[in-house]
């Protein structure tokens, strides 16, 4: 494909992710008119109408959606070729993208980032926090500014022959509520709760950040019909401390609250703990450049591996 067509595919990808031509232009650091021109040129080259512009907002046509899907594969292959060329020239990558699950402890990752930045390398690191399936979605597409994620750190890894993955230190979750919550204050000593009792109270859940995540209970939900959905675990912690409801929380975020009895484990009959082994993963087909290799070493040193 021509360079102009590649530019059009990048614009198409950004419009779909950002939601509009204007938002895509802002993400790409370009004028809206330049994004519109790139799409018009791509439509002309392909002799296809990619957007339906008859409504209030331009919407992808069926053909446009098919071109987007194929175009993302082209962009991935293009990025692989660019990475390979830089590696063969022994150059530092201009950017390095990382997407991480927001449930995981960030201090080790930020520590690796601090060490990386202090080495004065000419590589800009872009870190994006997503939740659950949103991590994989962001890794498959790209980060804002059309920067492709080189690494992802996922909550759990089910295996993928296209990826190389290394396990990191386990992450423990606790099912808890505020000490004055009815599930705690109204419970007899050493009594345990079951799903039927939990279903009578508000459950706090962090939403899956994948754009097309199906409605209903998520991966870390116990299925209560009374749900308050939050965007991250820090706001969920505040909701727990305010007595709004109960929910799973990563131990590293509530350890002090549990120690000071502000939050209390619920004594769930199926177990108060849930353990995940997160994985650091990258594409098997893409050779790691100098910056990626250095950052990988720092990440593994900072985040640890299960023993």
């Amino acid at each position: 494909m021509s360079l102009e067509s590649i530019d059009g595919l990048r614009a198409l990808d950004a419009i779909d992710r950002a939601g509009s031509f204007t938002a895509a232009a802002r993400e790409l650091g370009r004028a809206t008119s330049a994004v519109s021109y790139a799409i018009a040129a791509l439509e002309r080259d392909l002799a296809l109408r990619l957007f339906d512009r008859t409504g209030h907002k331009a919407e992808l046509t069926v053909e446009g959606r098919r071109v987007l899907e194929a175009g993302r594969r082209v962009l991935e292959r293009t990025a692989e070729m660019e990475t390979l060329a830089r590696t063969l020239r022994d150059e530092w990558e201009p950017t390095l993208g990382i997407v991480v699950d927001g449930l995981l402890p960030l201090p080790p990752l930020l520590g690796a980032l601090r060490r990386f930045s202090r080495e004065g390398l000419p590589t800009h690191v872009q870190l994006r926090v997503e939740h659950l399936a949103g991590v994989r979605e962001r890794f498959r597409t790209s980060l804002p500014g059309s920067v492709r994620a080189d690494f992802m750190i996922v909550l759990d890894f089910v295996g993928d022959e296209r990826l190389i993955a290394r396990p990191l230190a386990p992450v423990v979750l606790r099912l808890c509520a505020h000490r004055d919550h009815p599930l705690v204050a109204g419970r007899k000593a050493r009594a345990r709760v079951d799903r039927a009792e939990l279903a009578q109270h508000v459950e706090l859940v962090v939403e899956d950040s994948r754009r097309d995540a199906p409605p209903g209970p998520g991966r870390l939900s116990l299925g209560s019909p009374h749900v308050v959905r939050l965007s991250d675990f820090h706001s969920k912690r505040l909701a727990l401390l305010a007595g709004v409801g109960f929910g799973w929380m990563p131990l590293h975020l509530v350890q002090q609250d549990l120690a000071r009895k502000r939050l209390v484990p619920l004594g769930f009959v199926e177990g108060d703990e849930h353990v995940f082994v997160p994985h650091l993963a990258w594409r098997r087909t893409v050779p790691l450049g100098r910056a990626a290799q250095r950052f990988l070493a720092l990440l593994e040193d900072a985040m640890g591996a299960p023993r």
Side-chain angles (χ1 to χ4, degrees):
M1 300 187 72
S2 67
L3 291 177
E4 189 177 54
S5 294
I6 295 294
D7 183 58
L9 291 176
R10 289 196 174 104
L12 184 64
D13 170 61
I15 293 166
D16 180 64
R17 287 185 293 99
S20 71
F21 280 63
T22 302
R26 187 163 51 246
E27 178 182 306
L28 295 172
R30 302 171 66 178
T32 303
S33 58
V35 172
S36 297
Y37 175 83
I39 293 300
L42 183 62
E43 289 180 316
R44 184 177 62 251
D45 289 347
L46 299 177
L48 290 171
R49 189 166 63 100
L50 303 180
F51 283 92
D52 180 354
R53 298 172 174 83
T54 58
H56 175 70
K57 177 183 175 183
E59 299 285 350
L60 275 172
T61 61
V62 173
E63 295 82 1
R65 179 63 60 182
R66 294 282 298 275
V67 169
L68 172 65
E69 293 169 358
R72 281 176 170 159
R73 294 194 292 271
V74 171
L75 292 176
E76 184 170 341
R77 299 288 87 78
T78 301
E80 289 175 8
M81 184 62 68
E82 292 170 348
T83 300
L84 175 61
R86 279 193 299 269
T87 302
L88 294 174
R89 293 193 301 264
D90 200 28
E91 295 177 350
W92 293 101
E93 304 93 305
T95 58
L96 193 64
I98 302 167
V99 58
V100 59
D101 196 298
L103 182 147
L104 302 173
L106 285 180
L109 176 61
L110 298 177
L113 180 58
R114 182 177 63 250
R115 290 175 63 188
F116 187 87
S117 63
R118 286 179 177 176
E119 293 181 4
L121 304 180
T123 299
H124 169 70
V125 178
Q126 186 171 141
L127 174 65
R128 178 81 175 203
V129 177
E130 300 285 352
H131 293 92
L132 300 172
V135 177
R136 292 177 178 81
E137 179 185 59
R138 183 63 69 178
F139 181 76
R140 285 195 306 268
T141 55
S142 60
L143 300 171
S146 291
V147 175
R148 190 175 68 157
D150 300 277
F151 297 110
M152 70 171 172
I153 305 177
V154 288
L155 194 59
D156 53 358
F157 187 75
V158 295
D160 188 330
E161 62 182 13
R162 297 167 297 180
L163 301 176
I164 298 172
R166 294 182 184 171
L168 301 173
V171 174
V172 177
L173 279 72
R174 289 276 172 83
L175 186 64
C176 55
H178 190 265
R179 63 190 174 197
D180 295 329
H181 191 279
L183 283 167
V184 177
R187 195 175 77 219
K188 296 179 181 179
R190 288 198 289 273
R192 302 184 71 78
V193 298
D194 57 20
R195 287 179 183 261
E197 187 173 356
L198 292 176
Q200 300 173 36
H201 300 272
V202 171
E203 182 177 9
L204 304 175
V205 300
V206 172
E207 286 194 301
D208 193 320
S209 62
R210 192 182 74 187
R211 288 176 301 168
D212 60 348
R219 174 72 190 276
L220 294 176
S221 171
L222 290 169
S224 172
H226 316 289
V227 175
V228 171
R229 303 184 186 279
L230 302 115
S231 61
D232 60 78
F233 284 92
H234 293 281
S235 57
K236 183 176 181 178
R237 172 180 172 269
L238 294 177
L240 284 168
L241 290 171
V244 176
F246 70 92
W248 290 104
M249 280 295 294
L251 185 58
H252 63 271
L253 288 182
V254 294
Q255 202 153 18
Q256 289 189 357
D257 298 316
L258 292 169
R260 295 174 183 175
K261 307 296 184 183
R262 292 190 292 245
L263 297 178
V264 180
L266 285 182
F268 185 37
V269 294
E270 298 176 33
D272 274 338
E273 284 194 354
H274 200 113
V275 180
F276 288 100
V277 177
H279 281 68
L280 171 64
W282 63 95
R283 296 172 182 85
R284 188 178 298 277
T285 58
V286 181
L288 295 180
R290 294 177 69 185
Q293 291 181 47
R294 179 59 185 148
F295 202 73
L296 174 60
L298 294 174
L299 272 174
E300 292 185 317
D301 180 56
M303 302 197 75
R307 303 193 181 277

